[in-house]
Amino acid sequence: MDVIDMHNHFIAPEIIDFLAREGKHFATKIVESEGRRFFLIHEKAMRPIDGPISNAHSRIADMEREGVSTQAVSCVPFLMYPDVEAARGLAIAQVNNDAMVALGARDRDHFVPLASVPMQDPAAAARELERAAKLGLRGVEIPPKVVERQLDEPGFEIFWEAAEALRMVVCIHPFEAAPTGALARYFLGNLVGNLYDTGLAAALLIYGGVLERHPKLRVVLYHAGGALPALVGRLDMGYRLVPECREAIPRPPSSYANQFYFDIIAHSRGMLGHLVKTYGADRFVVGTDYPLPAGLAHPVEEVRALGLEPEDEGKILGATARQLLRL
């Protein structure tokens, strides 16, 4: 069976060259430490440059060892840059997308790239998504918010219309370069903040009527759905009790769960098994966060450890991702 990893990250060499020239406009610079290169973002967050994160060929041996046939590669989340001015956001998205197209053309057997778009300008994002689709990209990665603008706000409607019309799966991935308060401690910006941001974005897509208006829209929530699975019951309670929660949707929030897909990065087999049982194997795809250390090193093993029926196991390992990516 072909195993498809729908959550992994890549920094195209063209992006490294672009940020070496233009990094000052993105609060990003290249630094060296102990003989290795890193991106330094906002003088706080360090992200590696060298190795499989930027070398596609060197990823293949790891994929073969873990039984992964194909990676649906997306950019490292900070490269979405939702906080820069729109023209610069578009410029780096186009560099990334052109590089991703070239990667897919060089090795169609191993890589199915996803696009990035400048969500700070939804109209430009929609146009870039259309361009990316024409070039052969199969989906798009976006952040869960654009600074303090939320994805259910009317200005983003043009993007959601485009994503639905183009049949481009939308993968939501959070990133906060400089978390504040308690989230700045103990790596909680990643461990807790990412899940919160994803869950909040999903709740807004439901309550804001985005999924109601776009029933064919398909959204992948990375990190096993973030906080959304724990929130669904409370969202239904809000629908019953709070008039505002019924303004844009005619039915309970839980009824929209079938428009969301989750990856398997739960870091708890018990929790993952519960989620699969609750939402169904056909809502799950393999994700690894490769090659970052906070991901899953052995994704196929994680799925097989659930003891599912062969058909359900096959859905998670590849069949659902193949459907989402239109392969």
Side-chain angles (χ1 to χ4, degrees):
M1 165 173 290
D2 289 342
V3 175
I4 301 173
D5 175 7
M6 273 201 67
H7 177 188
N8 59 91
H9 300 296
F10 182 67
I11 303 172
E14 293 90 335
I15 286 288
I16 300 171
D17 293 341
F18 177 85
L19 287 173
R21 298 191 309 269
E22 304 290 335
K24 64 182 179 181
H25 301 297
F26 296 83
T28 301
K29 59 185 177 182
I30 297 174
V31 299
E32 291 193 14
S33 177
E34 298 179 353
R36 298 178 62 204
R37 294 183 303 163
F38 296 85
F39 284 121
L40 178 63
I41 308 118
H42 289 291
E43 298 293 338
K44 290 183 178 291
M46 298 270 285
R47 291 295 181 269
I49 293 177
D50 300 320
I53 194 76
S54 60
N55 185 325
H57 182 74
S58 70
R59 303 162 79 96
I60 295 173
D62 290 340
M63 293 167 63
E64 291 177 346
R65 183 177 62 252
E66 293 302 325
V68 173
S69 311
T70 304
Q71 290 182 337
V73 288
S74 58
C75 69
V76 175
F78 79 84
L79 294 173
M80 292 185 283
Y81 286 110
D83 57 340
V84 304
E85 64 177 86
R88 297 195 189 281
L90 175 60
I92 194 167
Q94 290 182 331
V95 172
N96 179 69
N97 293 338
D98 290 346
M100 288 293 199
V101 169
L103 170 63
R106 287 195 303 271
D107 192 343
R108 299 181 190 278
D109 292 336
H110 292 104
F111 302 115
V112 178
L114 306 180
S116 61
V117 294
M119 290 296 287
Q120 55 271 67
D121 182 344
R127 291 191 297 271
E128 180 60 15
L129 188 67
E130 183 175 2
R131 188 181 80 92
K134 289 179 179 178
L135 292 173
L137 300 184
R138 296 290 180 157
V140 61
E141 178 186 47
I142 68 168
K145 59 182 179 178
V146 179
V147 190
E148 293 305 322
R149 295 164 64 195
Q150 307 300 331
L151 298 178
D152 69 318
E153 295 179 16
F156 291 105
E157 187 66 13
I158 190 171
F159 169 79
W160 296 118
E161 289 174 353
E164 182 182 41
L166 294 166
R167 300 171 62 206
M168 293 283 266
V169 61
V170 178
C171 302
I172 295 181
H173 197 304
F175 173 77
E176 182 62 62
T180 59
L183 292 179
R185 303 168 61 196
Y186 307 119
F187 199 50
L188 292 178
N190 180 290
L191 302 176
V192 175
N194 280 359
L195 306 188
Y196 167 82
D197 285 345
T198 300
L200 179 60
L204 290 167
L205 292 179
I206 295 171
Y207 276 148
V210 174
L211 301 184
E212 172 67 24
R213 292 190 297 274
H214 303 288
K216 295 181 180 180
L217 190 65
R218 300 162 302 160
V219 179
V220 177
L221 303 176
Y222 287 151
H223 311 117
L228 179 67
L231 297 175
V232 169
R234 295 186 65 82
L235 297 180
D236 278 355
M237 177 268 289
Y239 180 82
R240 292 192 303 271
L241 299 181
V242 182
E244 182 185 6
C245 295
R246 300 190 294 272
E247 288 180 357
I249 54 174
R251 50 194 171 94
S254 58
S255 68
Y256 295 93
N258 64 358
Q259 285 179 256
F260 289 120
Y261 297 81
F262 309 142
D263 72 15
I264 63 170
I265 307 177
H267 292 290
S268 164
R269 289 178 180 174
M271 176 58 73
L272 180 59
H274 166 73
L275 294 175
V276 171
K277 182 178 179 180
T278 301
Y279 294 100
D282 61 342
R283 315 318 296 175
F284 285 81
V285 295
V286 168
T288 61
D289 236 336
Y290 177 93
L292 303 175
L296 292 181
H298 310 297
V300 176
E301 179 182 312
E302 287 293 311
V303 175
R304 290 186 171 151
L306 298 177
L308 302 173
E309 293 295 324
E311 182 179 359
D312 284 343
E313 185 177 279
K315 291 175 182 177
I316 300 175
L317 289 176
T320 296
R322 180 171 292 278
Q323 186 178 57
L324 291 172
L325 296 167
R326 295 168 287 123
L327 298 178

